[in-house]
Amino acid sequence: MERRKPKAVFMAFGTKGDVYPLAAIAAAFACDQKQYNVILITHSAHKSLSPHLSEKHVEYCAVSSPPVLSADQNNDIEGQAESSFLLQKKKITGDHRRECYSLIERIFDDGLSLDGDLIVINFFALEGWSLAECFSIRCIVAAPYVVPYSAPASFERQFQRELPLLYRYLTEAPSGKVCWKDVTHWMWPLFTENWGSWRNDNLHLSPCPFTDPVTGIPTWYDRPQSPLVMYGFSKEVVECPAYWPSRVRVCGFWYLPTEWQFTCMQCRETSVYDSSEHRYAKDNLCPRHLELQNFVKATPIFIGLSAIGSMGFLKDPHSFICVLQEVLSTTNYRFILFTGGCEPLESVIHTIAAETTLDQNNWSEDCVPLYNGRLFCFFGSIPYGWLFPKCAAVIHHGGRQAHHRAEDILFTERCLILG
């Protein structure tokens, strides 16, 4: 039976700061465009999104690849570590692409595609561009930050030498058509061997976009529109220079629904957010987290690492906690640490807490005090918009949501961004 509703597939890979903004857009799109079937494809590590998306009638589809692949820090033999990492990366990448193809095939292989069908990708889901081409579906780019990579200095010279006809095709493109500006801004990785062999061997496309799969000659007869690129930040923060492609749109910050920012359901129901006033009408947490609420009254300094741990940058969690202990000895401030789901860090915290004599019977399982209660370690999450105004200063690794919240509440003079 021929389907009647178009489908909008959002493909977002990476850490929470890369994925959650697009998940929020998918949910908003589903609420606003009810004529669509909306699907989000992301890592299984983000499965906590599933119930939130289900409430908004968005289908959650998971791939097994990890959000971040980091080299084994425990291997002392550098050559072996590098070789092992590259083999692991190659296998995970191959499996990841097969799963993506299988999902897109299942979603769209039900007859001819509809004009309204679309695939929305972030910059870590570039396979979505080739899959959209394979299934003849429109592709849109959406990212909460400026493109995180730039072409090598020799890229244009090498491109012009090896692909002169395609270079001419792109540099002489009519207004509104895909052009060299699109390539230099974000598309250049699609012309590398990393994608070319997959496109040719697995998708049976031309290794290079915009060329004929048989002759390899540019498709002069078919010049597609310049792809729409939507950025989720403010023009007041990042300007939109004239050398960007004409189809780039700076849309303002994309915020998560407030209810997505609580790991505790009771806290979510207790702290009522007034969207019209952009503030919390009831400034309370649930009874299980009164310790957190009371601790914040002392105006602590916030430390949040978010994805730093999962990305492999926190090599020695115990030394990190020891550094914080030393800092506590030189200041009268209290500190609140969000562990960001970093299991090695949380394990160290539990070990240190078990060695103390402080009575913790009344503390909830995701709240652990250290050093006479001056360092408060929290394993869950609450909205930064609730927490940041209550802190003396904020130290954060530079995640997307922290940047957005700091800008939104005019807190940047007390916010130290690391990274």
Side-chain angles (χ1 to χ4, degrees):
M1 181 177 178
E2 185 177 354
R3 62 185 170 95
R4 298 182 179 180
K5 296 181 69 173
K7 296 180 179 181
V9 177
F10 291 75
M11 294 184 68
F13 301 125
T15 60
K16 284 186 176 181
D18 306 306
V19 172
Y20 277 49
L22 262 73
I25 294 175
F29 185 88
C31 292
D32 186 61
Q33 303 291 326
K34 298 185 184 300
Q35 73 275 23
Y36 273 86
N37 288 325
V38 183
I39 302 101
L40 175 74
I41 299 176
T42 189
H43 306 286
S44 56
H46 300 312
K47 62 184 178 182
S48 60
L49 283 172
S50 181
H52 298 306
L53 293 171
S54 180
E55 291 178 359
K56 304 296 184 181
H57 305 290
V58 177
E59 180 184 353
Y60 168 82
C61 293
V63 294
S64 61
S65 58
V68 177
L69 182 61
S70 58
D72 184 4
Q73 303 293 339
N74 297 320
N75 197 322
D76 296 330
I77 305 176
E78 184 176 348
Q80 290 184 8
E82 181 178 359
S83 175
S84 176
F85 174 70
L86 291 176
L87 289 174
Q88 180 188 22
K89 180 180 179 181
K90 182 177 181 180
K91 182 182 185 306
I92 290 177
T93 299
D95 293 342
H96 172 82
R97 291 176 177 176
R98 279 191 292 272
E99 289 184 48
C100 288
Y101 179 84
S102 179
L103 285 171
I104 294 296
E105 183 180 41
R106 176 180 66 80
I107 292 168
F108 287 107
D109 195 19
D110 55 2
L112 295 175
S113 60
L114 302 182
D115 289 340
D117 288 342
L118 55 90
I119 294 179
V120 182
I121 64 173
N122 70 356
F123 286 124
F124 295 114
L126 293 183
E127 46 273 296
W129 175 267
S130 296
L131 289 170
E133 180 183 344
C134 185
F135 288 85
S136 301
I137 300 162
R138 182 188 180 195
C139 188
I140 295 171
V141 178
Y145 46 84
V146 182
V147 58
Y149 45 73
S150 58
S154 61
F155 175 77
E156 182 171 4
R157 183 173 63 254
Q158 186 175 353
F159 192 106
Q160 187 176 9
R161 182 177 66 250
E162 297 183 8
L163 301 166
L165 290 179
L166 185 56
Y167 183 77
R168 177 185 165 195
Y169 170 92
L170 293 164
T171 54
E172 298 178 359
S175 176
K177 300 296 184 178
V178 66
C179 64
W180 186 249
K181 283 186 177 182
D182 296 303
V183 174
T184 56
H185 186 65
W186 73 272
M187 295 181 70
W188 67 268
L190 298 174
F191 295 90
T192 63
E193 176 58 26
N194 180 48
W195 293 104
S197 57
W198 178 65
R199 285 171 54 90
N200 185 67
D201 299 340
N202 298 89
L203 303 185
H204 307 295
L205 299 171
S206 172
C208 287
F210 318 120
T211 60
D212 186 274
V214 177
T215 64
I217 297 174
T219 53
W220 303 96
Y221 55 87
D222 180 22
R223 286 185 177 271
Q225 292 290 322
S226 178
L228 177 62
V229 178
M230 300 186 297
Y231 280 135
F233 51 75
S234 170
K235 289 182 179 179
E236 302 302 319
V237 177
V238 180
E239 66 175 343
C240 187
Y243 58 79
W244 280 5
S246 61
R247 293 273 287 166
V248 170
R249 301 290 183 268
V250 177
C251 307
F253 290 124
W254 299 331
Y255 296 118
L256 301 184
T258 305
E259 61 270 21
W260 292 20
Q261 301 175 48
F262 288 96
T263 50
C264 175
M265 185 71 69
Q266 285 183 288
C267 285
R268 186 181 82 177
E269 295 173 352
T270 303
S271 301
V272 179
Y273 183 73
D274 187 341
S275 58
S276 62
E277 297 290 336
H278 298 286
R279 63 183 180 87
Y280 287 87
K282 294 183 179 180
D283 204 20
N284 300 315
L285 299 181
C286 77
R288 287 197 311 117
H289 291 100
L290 286 181
E291 295 84 2
L292 172 59
Q293 183 172 318
N294 292 332
F295 186 88
V296 171
K297 291 178 181 178
T299 316
I301 293 176
F302 170 87
I303 301 175
L305 303 182
S306 295
I308 286 292
S310 63
M311 294 175 71
F313 295 125
L314 190 61
K315 300 180 181 179
D316 191 344
H318 186 271
S319 295
F320 174 72
I321 295 296
C322 289
V323 168
L324 292 182
Q325 182 185 20
E326 185 66 24
V327 172
L328 286 168
S329 69
T330 62
T331 179
N332 293 324
Y333 279 104
R334 294 184 175 189
F335 286 77
I336 180 170
L337 171 65
F338 276 26
T339 62
C342 179
E343 294 182 4
L345 176 60
E346 293 175 359
S347 177
V348 167
I349 291 170
H350 279 301
T351 299
I352 296 175
E355 296 171 351
T356 68
T357 57
L358 184 65
D359 181 13
Q360 298 180 27
N361 292 331
N362 296 323
W363 294 74
S364 59
E365 61 182 12
D366 55 2
C367 300
V368 177
L370 297 179
Y371 310 125
N372 296 320
R374 293 188 60 208
L375 174 61
F376 189 101
C377 304
F378 185 55
F379 300 165
S381 65
I382 55 175
Y384 287 162
W386 181 91
L387 178 64
F388 282 7
K390 299 174 173 62
C391 294
V394 171
I395 303 172
H396 198 275
H397 82 296
R400 320 306 174 194
Q401 294 306 311
H403 271 296
H404 295 179
R405 295 314 306 171
E407 173 66 22
D408 185 47
I409 62 179
L410 302 179
F411 198 65
T412 49
E413 70 274 13
R414 290 182 288 166
C415 186
L416 174 62
I417 302 297
L418 303 178

